[in-house]
Amino acid sequence: MKKAELIVGYMDKLKAFIEFVDSYLDLGLEFLHKAKVYIQKIIELIQKGVDYLVENMGGRPDNQIGDDYLFV
């Protein structure tokens, strides 16, 4: 009987520890999700800044070259 009570006691402590770790994992995942949202916003702002700079510097060059420039 003593062994069973000892095992149950250890199992209760193990369960409490696992619940403790699980709660911190949930909190960590929540922080990571918030960080992901902020990083996506930063990337969008950088992309807008690069696009604005490119447009003010003359735009992106066209990938298609006209027939006039093929033969020199």
Side-chain angles (χ1 to χ4, degrees):
M1 193 67 173
K2 282 276 194 190
K3 290 181 183 179
E5 289 176 6
L6 184 65
I7 291 173
V8 169
Y10 283 134
M11 290 177 69
D12 287 340
K13 289 179 183 178
L14 180 64
K15 179 183 174 190
F17 177 73
I18 291 173
E19 288 174 352
F20 174 76
V21 170
D22 184 52
S23 67
Y24 277 100
L25 286 174
D26 287 339
L27 186 62
L29 287 172
E30 183 179 330
F31 284 139
L32 285 174
H33 180 69
K34 288 179 182 180
K36 179 183 176 187
V37 170
Y38 286 123
I39 290 172
Q40 286 174 338
K41 288 180 182 180
I42 290 169
I43 290 172
E44 287 175 10
L45 288 174
I46 290 172
Q47 183 64 40
K48 286 179 183 178
V50 168
D51 289 341
Y52 179 76
L53 180 63
V54 167
E55 289 299 319
N56 283 332
M57 297 294 288
R60 298 188 191 274
D62 291 335
N63 291 336
Q64 299 176 355
I65 297 175
D67 291 336
D68 298 337
Y69 295 106
L70 290 177
F71 299 104
V72 177

